Amino acid sequence: MSEYTDIHRVLLTYIRSCKYIYHHELLETFQTIYTNLSGESPHEEPLQQLNKYLADINSRISPHGFKIERKNNELTGELCYIFINTVGDDIIKQNTLYSPPELDTIKQIIDDIVEAPEYKFSLGKVNVQQKIANSLNKTLKEASNLVDRLIDDGWFEVTLDDRMTLSIKTIAELKDYLIDRHGSSTNEGKILICQQCKEIVTLGCKHEDYFFHFKCYDVYCRNNNIEPDQDFQRIGPENV
Ligand SMILES: [Zn+2]
C-alpha cells in the first residue's frame, strides 16, 4: 500500500460525514481536497487517482470492520459511495447509540417495510410513530422524535408523501442480514433481486416474474433486444 497521507484522512472523514455521496460530488470534492493539501492538481486522471485513494483507505479500514461501498442509486442509477460497517452477523445489535428496545424497534420497522403489501417497500411515517408510541410506551411526541433521529442517523429516508423507506446505507450495510432474514426473490423470499444488476430492488418495476431497477430494465431490454413493456407493476412508493 502507498503512503497514508492527510489526503486519505480528510477524504475518509468527509465520506464518513455523509449518509451517501454521489460520484460526481465525490470526484469534485476529492480534487479540491487534493489541490488544497498537496498544493498541486491531481497529476493523473482524477477518477483513477480517486479510485487509488479509496482502495488505500479500504485496505486500511477493512481490518476494523468498515468499508467505503459503491452502490447505484435505485432511482437514477447514479453511482454513490457509502461508508458502511461490515463486521459481525448482527450489525444492528452492535449499535451503541440506541437502547436495546430502540434497536428492536429499528428491526421491527425494517421488517414492516420489507413486508409491506404490494411491493410498496415503505410505511407511512405517522403509522410508524403510532406503532413506536404503543410498543415502547412513549408519547407521540417522543415517538416522533425517535423516528426523526432514525432518519437523521441514516437508517431510513422519507418520500415526498411522508413514507419511510430503507436508506441506501441500510440496504448496503444490511444486505446479508436482509437476505438471511427474509429470503431473496430467487428463492421465493421477500427481498427482491434485480434481474440485471443482481442487487436488491426496493424501487423499480416488476415485469412478468422479474424484478428490475428502472434503469436496469432499460439496459436489460437493450441487451436482449426486447421491446420495453409499458405494462408493469411498480416496486416501492410513489413520489420519491
Ligand atoms: Zn438493477
mmCIF file of all heavy atoms in Angstrom, residues 106-140:
data_model
loop_
_atom_site.group_PDB
_atom_site.id
_atom_site.type_symbol
_atom_site.label_atom_id
_atom_site.label_comp_id
_atom_site.label_asym_id
_atom_site.label_seq_id
_atom_site.Cartn_x
_atom_site.Cartn_y
_atom_site.Cartn_z
ATOM 1 N N ILE A 106 -36.028 -0.640 15.581
ATOM 2 C CA ILE A 106 -35.440 -0.452 14.247
ATOM 3 C C ILE A 106 -35.652 -1.716 13.416
ATOM 4 O O ILE A 106 -36.082 -1.662 12.265
ATOM 5 C CB ILE A 106 -33.934 -0.129 14.358
ATOM 6 C CG1 ILE A 106 -33.734 1.232 15.021
ATOM 7 C CG2 ILE A 106 -33.273 -0.157 12.983
ATOM 8 C CD1 ILE A 106 -32.276 1.573 15.318
ATOM 9 N N LYS A 107 -35.381 -2.870 14.039
ATOM 10 C CA LYS A 107 -35.571 -4.144 13.328
ATOM 11 C C LYS A 107 -37.017 -4.316 12.892
ATOM 12 O O LYS A 107 -37.295 -4.776 11.789
ATOM 13 C CB LYS A 107 -35.201 -5.320 14.237
ATOM 14 C CG LYS A 107 -33.732 -5.558 14.344
ATOM 15 C CD LYS A 107 -33.499 -6.875 15.072
ATOM 16 C CE LYS A 107 -32.066 -7.316 14.910
ATOM 17 N NZ LYS A 107 -31.788 -8.567 15.602
ATOM 18 N N GLN A 108 -37.919 -3.947 13.798
ATOM 19 C CA GLN A 108 -39.341 -4.099 13.502
ATOM 20 C C GLN A 108 -39.745 -3.214 12.315
ATOM 21 O O GLN A 108 -40.473 -3.643 11.422
ATOM 22 C CB GLN A 108 -40.159 -3.739 14.754
ATOM 23 C CG GLN A 108 -41.642 -4.025 14.615
ATOM 24 C CD GLN A 108 -41.919 -5.504 14.382
ATOM 25 O OE1 GLN A 108 -41.471 -6.345 15.154
ATOM 26 N NE2 GLN A 108 -42.631 -5.834 13.305
ATOM 27 N N ILE A 109 -39.240 -1.976 12.313
ATOM 28 C CA ILE A 109 -39.584 -1.073 11.199
ATOM 29 C C ILE A 109 -39.041 -1.649 9.889
ATOM 30 O O ILE A 109 -39.728 -1.659 8.865
ATOM 31 C CB ILE A 109 -39.011 0.352 11.427
ATOM 32 C CG1 ILE A 109 -39.587 0.973 12.696
ATOM 33 C CG2 ILE A 109 -39.317 1.251 10.226
ATOM 34 C CD1 ILE A 109 -38.917 2.292 13.095
ATOM 35 N N ILE A 110 -37.800 -2.146 9.940
ATOM 36 C CA ILE A 110 -37.207 -2.726 8.727
ATOM 37 C C ILE A 110 -38.060 -3.909 8.250
ATOM 38 O O ILE A 110 -38.395 -4.019 7.070
ATOM 39 C CB ILE A 110 -35.745 -3.159 8.982
ATOM 40 C CG1 ILE A 110 -34.874 -1.926 9.223
ATOM 41 C CG2 ILE A 110 -35.205 -3.964 7.795
ATOM 42 C CD1 ILE A 110 -33.449 -2.232 9.660
ATOM 43 N N ASP A 111 -38.446 -4.792 9.197
ATOM 44 C CA ASP A 111 -39.308 -5.932 8.832
ATOM 45 C C ASP A 111 -40.602 -5.451 8.184
ATOM 46 O O ASP A 111 -41.033 -5.980 7.156
ATOM 47 C CB ASP A 111 -39.684 -6.749 10.083
ATOM 48 C CG ASP A 111 -38.539 -7.644 10.545
ATOM 49 O OD1 ASP A 111 -37.535 -7.745 9.820
ATOM 50 O OD2 ASP A 111 -38.664 -8.233 11.641
ATOM 51 N N ASP A 112 -41.217 -4.449 8.809
ATOM 52 C CA ASP A 112 -42.511 -3.973 8.301
ATOM 53 C C ASP A 112 -42.363 -3.358 6.909
ATOM 54 O O ASP A 112 -43.247 -3.495 6.064
ATOM 55 C CB ASP A 112 -43.118 -2.935 9.266
ATOM 56 C CG ASP A 112 -43.587 -3.583 10.570
ATOM 57 O OD1 ASP A 112 -43.609 -4.827 10.644
ATOM 58 O OD2 ASP A 112 -43.928 -2.841 11.516
ATOM 59 N N ILE A 113 -41.242 -2.660 6.680
ATOM 60 C CA ILE A 113 -41.025 -2.073 5.347
ATOM 61 C C ILE A 113 -40.873 -3.188 4.312
ATOM 62 O O ILE A 113 -41.483 -3.155 3.243
ATOM 63 C CB ILE A 113 -39.781 -1.147 5.347
ATOM 64 C CG1 ILE A 113 -40.085 0.139 6.123
ATOM 65 C CG2 ILE A 113 -39.341 -0.818 3.914
ATOM 66 C CD1 ILE A 113 -38.913 1.100 6.259
ATOM 67 N N VAL A 114 -40.081 -4.208 4.664
ATOM 68 C CA VAL A 114 -39.863 -5.318 3.723
ATOM 69 C C VAL A 114 -41.173 -6.056 3.455
ATOM 70 O O VAL A 114 -41.443 -6.487 2.333
ATOM 71 C CB VAL A 114 -38.794 -6.287 4.279
ATOM 72 C CG1 VAL A 114 -38.738 -7.569 3.461
ATOM 73 C CG2 VAL A 114 -37.425 -5.616 4.309
ATOM 74 N N GLU A 115 -41.999 -6.173 4.497
ATOM 75 C CA GLU A 115 -43.225 -6.960 4.363
ATOM 76 C C GLU A 115 -44.434 -6.133 3.924
ATOM 77 O O GLU A 115 -45.546 -6.667 3.831
ATOM 78 C CB GLU A 115 -43.516 -7.667 5.695
ATOM 79 C CG GLU A 115 -42.548 -8.828 5.918
ATOM 80 C CD GLU A 115 -42.534 -9.340 7.342
ATOM 81 O OE1 GLU A 115 -43.371 -8.878 8.150
ATOM 82 O OE2 GLU A 115 -41.680 -10.198 7.644
ATOM 83 N N ALA A 116 -44.236 -4.858 3.655
ATOM 84 C CA ALA A 116 -45.363 -4.025 3.217
ATOM 85 C C ALA A 116 -46.004 -4.657 1.983
ATOM 86 O O ALA A 116 -45.300 -5.140 1.099
ATOM 87 C CB ALA A 116 -44.875 -2.614 2.897
ATOM 88 N N PRO A 117 -47.350 -4.680 1.925
ATOM 89 C CA PRO A 117 -48.015 -5.384 0.824
ATOM 90 C C PRO A 117 -47.773 -4.715 -0.533
ATOM 91 O O PRO A 117 -47.419 -3.538 -0.604
ATOM 92 C CB PRO A 117 -49.501 -5.318 1.207
ATOM 93 C CG PRO A 117 -49.611 -4.241 2.215
ATOM 94 C CD PRO A 117 -48.286 -4.118 2.894
ATOM 95 N N GLU A 118 -47.954 -5.464 -1.574
ATOM 96 C CA GLU A 118 -47.881 -4.987 -2.966
ATOM 97 C C GLU A 118 -46.545 -4.340 -3.307
ATOM 98 O O GLU A 118 -46.498 -3.350 -4.039
ATOM 99 C CB GLU A 118 -49.028 -4.013 -3.257
ATOM 100 C CG GLU A 118 -50.385 -4.682 -3.181
ATOM 101 C CD GLU A 118 -51.533 -3.684 -3.206
ATOM 102 O OE1 GLU A 118 -51.259 -2.471 -3.240
ATOM 103 O OE2 GLU A 118 -52.675 -4.138 -3.178
ATOM 104 N N TYR A 119 -45.474 -4.880 -2.763
ATOM 105 C CA TYR A 119 -44.126 -4.386 -3.068
ATOM 106 C C TYR A 119 -43.974 -2.890 -2.792
ATOM 107 O O TYR A 119 -43.264 -2.191 -3.510
ATOM 108 C CB TYR A 119 -43.763 -4.644 -4.539
ATOM 109 C CG TYR A 119 -43.875 -6.069 -4.984
ATOM 110 C CD1 TYR A 119 -44.700 -6.410 -6.051
ATOM 111 C CD2 TYR A 119 -43.143 -7.073 -4.368
ATOM 112 C CE1 TYR A 119 -44.799 -7.727 -6.486
ATOM 113 C CE2 TYR A 119 -43.233 -8.389 -4.798
ATOM 114 C CZ TYR A 119 -44.066 -8.708 -5.854
ATOM 115 O OH TYR A 119 -44.151 -10.004 -6.287
ATOM 116 N N LYS A 120 -44.645 -2.368 -1.773
ATOM 117 C CA LYS A 120 -44.561 -0.924 -1.512
ATOM 118 C C LYS A 120 -43.218 -0.538 -0.885
ATOM 119 O O LYS A 120 -42.774 0.599 -0.994
ATOM 120 C CB LYS A 120 -45.705 -0.474 -0.593
ATOM 121 C CG LYS A 120 -47.043 -0.373 -1.295
ATOM 122 C CD LYS A 120 -47.166 0.942 -2.056
ATOM 123 C CE LYS A 120 -48.483 1.087 -2.773
ATOM 124 N NZ LYS A 120 -48.390 0.803 -4.209
ATOM 125 N N PHE A 121 -42.606 -1.448 -0.154
ATOM 126 C CA PHE A 121 -41.316 -1.198 0.499
ATOM 127 C C PHE A 121 -41.272 0.152 1.211
ATOM 128 O O PHE A 121 -40.284 0.882 1.128
ATOM 129 C CB PHE A 121 -40.153 -1.333 -0.489
ATOM 130 C CG PHE A 121 -39.856 -2.767 -0.803
ATOM 131 C CD1 PHE A 121 -40.397 -3.365 -1.926
ATOM 132 C CD2 PHE A 121 -39.085 -3.533 0.058
ATOM 133 C CE1 PHE A 121 -40.160 -4.709 -2.194
ATOM 134 C CE2 PHE A 121 -38.844 -4.875 -0.206
ATOM 135 C CZ PHE A 121 -39.383 -5.457 -1.333
ATOM 136 N N SER A 122 -42.339 0.467 1.919
ATOM 137 C CA SER A 122 -42.417 1.745 2.614
ATOM 138 C C SER A 122 -43.565 1.697 3.615
ATOM 139 O O SER A 122 -44.448 0.843 3.504
ATOM 140 C CB SER A 122 -42.667 2.875 1.607
ATOM 141 O OG SER A 122 -43.856 2.611 0.876
ATOM 142 N N LEU A 123 -43.519 2.620 4.575
ATOM 143 C CA LEU A 123 -44.566 2.718 5.603
ATOM 144 C C LEU A 123 -44.880 4.184 5.831
ATOM 145 O O LEU A 123 -43.968 5.019 5.794
ATOM 146 C CB LEU A 123 -44.058 2.161 6.940
ATOM 147 C CG LEU A 123 -43.636 0.701 7.031
ATOM 148 C CD1 LEU A 123 -42.967 0.475 8.380
ATOM 149 C CD2 LEU A 123 -44.838 -0.219 6.874
ATOM 150 N N GLY A 124 -46.135 4.491 6.088
ATOM 151 C CA GLY A 124 -46.488 5.864 6.441
ATOM 152 C C GLY A 124 -45.774 6.257 7.730
ATOM 153 O O GLY A 124 -45.780 5.498 8.698
ATOM 154 N N LYS A 125 -45.152 7.437 7.717
ATOM 155 C CA LYS A 125 -44.374 7.876 8.879
ATOM 156 C C LYS A 125 -45.256 7.983 10.127
ATOM 157 O O LYS A 125 -44.851 7.601 11.226
ATOM 158 C CB LYS A 125 -43.748 9.234 8.544
ATOM 159 C CG LYS A 125 -42.694 9.692 9.507
ATOM 160 C CD LYS A 125 -42.065 10.991 9.002
ATOM 161 C CE LYS A 125 -41.334 11.707 10.107
ATOM 162 N NZ LYS A 125 -40.926 13.059 9.692
ATOM 163 N N VAL A 126 -46.465 8.480 9.937
ATOM 164 C CA VAL A 126 -47.381 8.641 11.073
ATOM 165 C C VAL A 126 -47.713 7.279 11.692
ATOM 166 O O VAL A 126 -47.754 7.133 12.913
ATOM 167 C CB VAL A 126 -48.671 9.365 10.619
ATOM 168 C CG1 VAL A 126 -49.685 9.421 11.756
ATOM 169 C CG2 VAL A 126 -48.337 10.759 10.121
ATOM 170 N N ASN A 127 -47.908 6.269 10.828
ATOM 171 C CA ASN A 127 -48.190 4.921 11.347
ATOM 172 C C ASN A 127 -47.015 4.384 12.153
ATOM 173 O O ASN A 127 -47.203 3.728 13.176
ATOM 174 C CB ASN A 127 -48.477 3.947 10.203
ATOM 175 C CG ASN A 127 -49.719 4.331 9.440
ATOM 176 O OD1 ASN A 127 -50.493 5.178 9.897
ATOM 177 N ND2 ASN A 127 -49.909 3.746 8.279
ATOM 178 N N VAL A 128 -45.806 4.667 11.669
ATOM 179 C CA VAL A 128 -44.615 4.195 12.390
ATOM 180 C C VAL A 128 -44.542 4.867 13.760
ATOM 181 O O VAL A 128 -44.293 4.213 14.779
ATOM 182 C CB VAL A 128 -43.326 4.482 11.578
ATOM 183 C CG1 VAL A 128 -42.088 4.115 12.376
ATOM 184 C CG2 VAL A 128 -43.348 3.713 10.260
ATOM 185 N N GLN A 129 -44.788 6.170 13.786
ATOM 186 C CA GLN A 129 -44.749 6.898 15.068
ATOM 187 C C GLN A 129 -45.762 6.317 16.045
ATOM 188 O O GLN A 129 -45.467 6.096 17.215
ATOM 189 C CB GLN A 129 -45.048 8.386 14.830
ATOM 190 C CG GLN A 129 -43.913 9.103 14.118
ATOM 191 C CD GLN A 129 -44.337 10.445 13.546
ATOM 192 O OE1 GLN A 129 -45.517 10.774 13.503
ATOM 193 N NE2 GLN A 129 -43.370 11.224 13.094
ATOM 194 N N GLN A 130 -46.959 6.059 15.530
ATOM 195 C CA GLN A 130 -48.023 5.496 16.359
ATOM 196 C C GLN A 130 -47.605 4.143 16.936
ATOM 197 O O GLN A 130 -47.757 3.877 18.131
ATOM 198 C CB GLN A 130 -49.273 5.324 15.483
ATOM 199 C CG GLN A 130 -50.522 4.975 16.244
ATOM 200 C CD GLN A 130 -51.019 6.159 17.060
ATOM 201 O OE1 GLN A 130 -51.305 7.217 16.498
ATOM 202 N NE2 GLN A 130 -51.093 5.999 18.381
ATOM 203 N N LYS A 131 -47.037 3.326 16.063
ATOM 204 C CA LYS A 131 -46.646 1.983 16.477
ATOM 205 C C LYS A 131 -45.545 2.039 17.541
ATOM 206 O O LYS A 131 -45.561 1.294 18.525
ATOM 207 C CB LYS A 131 -46.171 1.203 15.247
ATOM 208 C CG LYS A 131 -46.084 -0.276 15.498
ATOM 209 C CD LYS A 131 -45.918 -1.065 14.217
ATOM 210 C CE LYS A 131 -45.672 -2.528 14.571
ATOM 211 N NZ LYS A 131 -45.494 -3.368 13.399
ATOM 212 N N ILE A 132 -44.585 2.956 17.352
ATOM 213 C CA ILE A 132 -43.495 3.094 18.323
ATOM 214 C C ILE A 132 -44.037 3.591 19.655
ATOM 215 O O ILE A 132 -43.642 3.114 20.727
ATOM 216 C CB ILE A 132 -42.420 4.069 17.791
ATOM 217 C CG1 ILE A 132 -41.676 3.424 16.628
ATOM 218 C CG2 ILE A 132 -41.445 4.467 18.885
ATOM 219 C CD1 ILE A 132 -40.609 4.295 16.029
ATOM 220 N N ALA A 133 -44.947 4.544 19.590
ATOM 221 C CA ALA A 133 -45.545 5.068 20.823
ATOM 222 C C ALA A 133 -46.173 3.923 21.612
ATOM 223 O O ALA A 133 -45.990 3.811 22.826
ATOM 224 C CB ALA A 133 -46.584 6.138 20.485
ATOM 225 N N ASN A 134 -46.879 3.037 20.912
ATOM 226 C CA ASN A 134 -47.520 1.905 21.587
ATOM 227 C C ASN A 134 -46.499 0.902 22.106
ATOM 228 O O ASN A 134 -46.524 0.522 23.271
ATOM 229 C CB ASN A 134 -48.487 1.186 20.637
ATOM 230 C CG ASN A 134 -49.674 2.061 20.303
ATOM 231 O OD1 ASN A 134 -49.987 2.998 21.052
ATOM 232 N ND2 ASN A 134 -50.320 1.788 19.185
ATOM 233 N N SER A 135 -45.564 0.494 21.225
ATOM 234 C CA SER A 135 -44.688 -0.619 21.613
ATOM 235 C C SER A 135 -43.660 -0.194 22.654
ATOM 236 O O SER A 135 -43.265 -0.992 23.493
ATOM 237 C CB SER A 135 -44.011 -1.219 20.384
ATOM 238 O OG SER A 135 -43.149 -0.276 19.804
ATOM 239 N N LEU A 136 -43.203 1.059 22.618
ATOM 240 C CA LEU A 136 -42.194 1.493 23.595
ATOM 241 C C LEU A 136 -42.817 2.311 24.727
ATOM 242 O O LEU A 136 -42.095 2.860 25.559
ATOM 243 C CB LEU A 136 -41.096 2.316 22.905
ATOM 244 C CG LEU A 136 -40.217 1.590 21.893
ATOM 245 C CD1 LEU A 136 -39.144 2.518 21.363
ATOM 246 C CD2 LEU A 136 -39.577 0.352 22.503
ATOM 247 N N ASN A 137 -44.125 2.389 24.711
ATOM 248 C CA ASN A 137 -44.820 3.131 25.752
ATOM 249 C C ASN A 137 -44.324 4.574 25.847
ATOM 250 O O ASN A 137 -43.967 5.064 26.913
ATOM 251 C CB ASN A 137 -44.639 2.398 27.088
ATOM 252 C CG ASN A 137 -45.818 2.646 28.002
ATOM 253 O OD1 ASN A 137 -46.793 3.290 27.588
ATOM 254 N ND2 ASN A 137 -45.737 2.167 29.235
ATOM 255 N N LYS A 138 -44.266 5.230 24.713
ATOM 256 C CA LYS A 138 -43.814 6.627 24.647
ATOM 257 C C LYS A 138 -44.987 7.514 24.248
ATOM 258 O O LYS A 138 -45.982 7.029 23.702
ATOM 259 C CB LYS A 138 -42.724 6.776 23.576
ATOM 260 C CG LYS A 138 -41.370 6.192 23.943
ATOM 261 C CD LYS A 138 -40.407 6.398 22.780
ATOM 262 C CE LYS A 138 -39.049 5.767 23.018
ATOM 263 N NZ LYS A 138 -38.216 6.451 23.999
ATOM 264 N N THR A 139 -44.830 8.818 24.503
ATOM 265 C CA THR A 139 -45.828 9.747 23.975
ATOM 266 C C THR A 139 -45.609 9.853 22.465
ATOM 267 O O THR A 139 -44.539 9.496 21.951
ATOM 268 C CB THR A 139 -45.669 11.154 24.577
ATOM 269 O OG1 THR A 139 -44.411 11.685 24.136
ATOM 270 C CG2 THR A 139 -45.701 11.116 26.093
ATOM 271 N N LEU A 140 -46.614 10.384 21.777
ATOM 272 C CA LEU A 140 -46.492 10.525 20.328
ATOM 273 C C LEU A 140 -45.340 11.465 19.974
ATOM 274 O O LEU A 140 -44.632 11.273 18.989
ATOM 275 C CB LEU A 140 -47.818 11.046 19.759
ATOM 276 C CG LEU A 140 -48.151 10.591 18.342
ATOM 277 C CD1 LEU A 140 -47.961 9.098 18.153
ATOM 278 C CD2 LEU A 140 -49.573 10.988 17.984
#
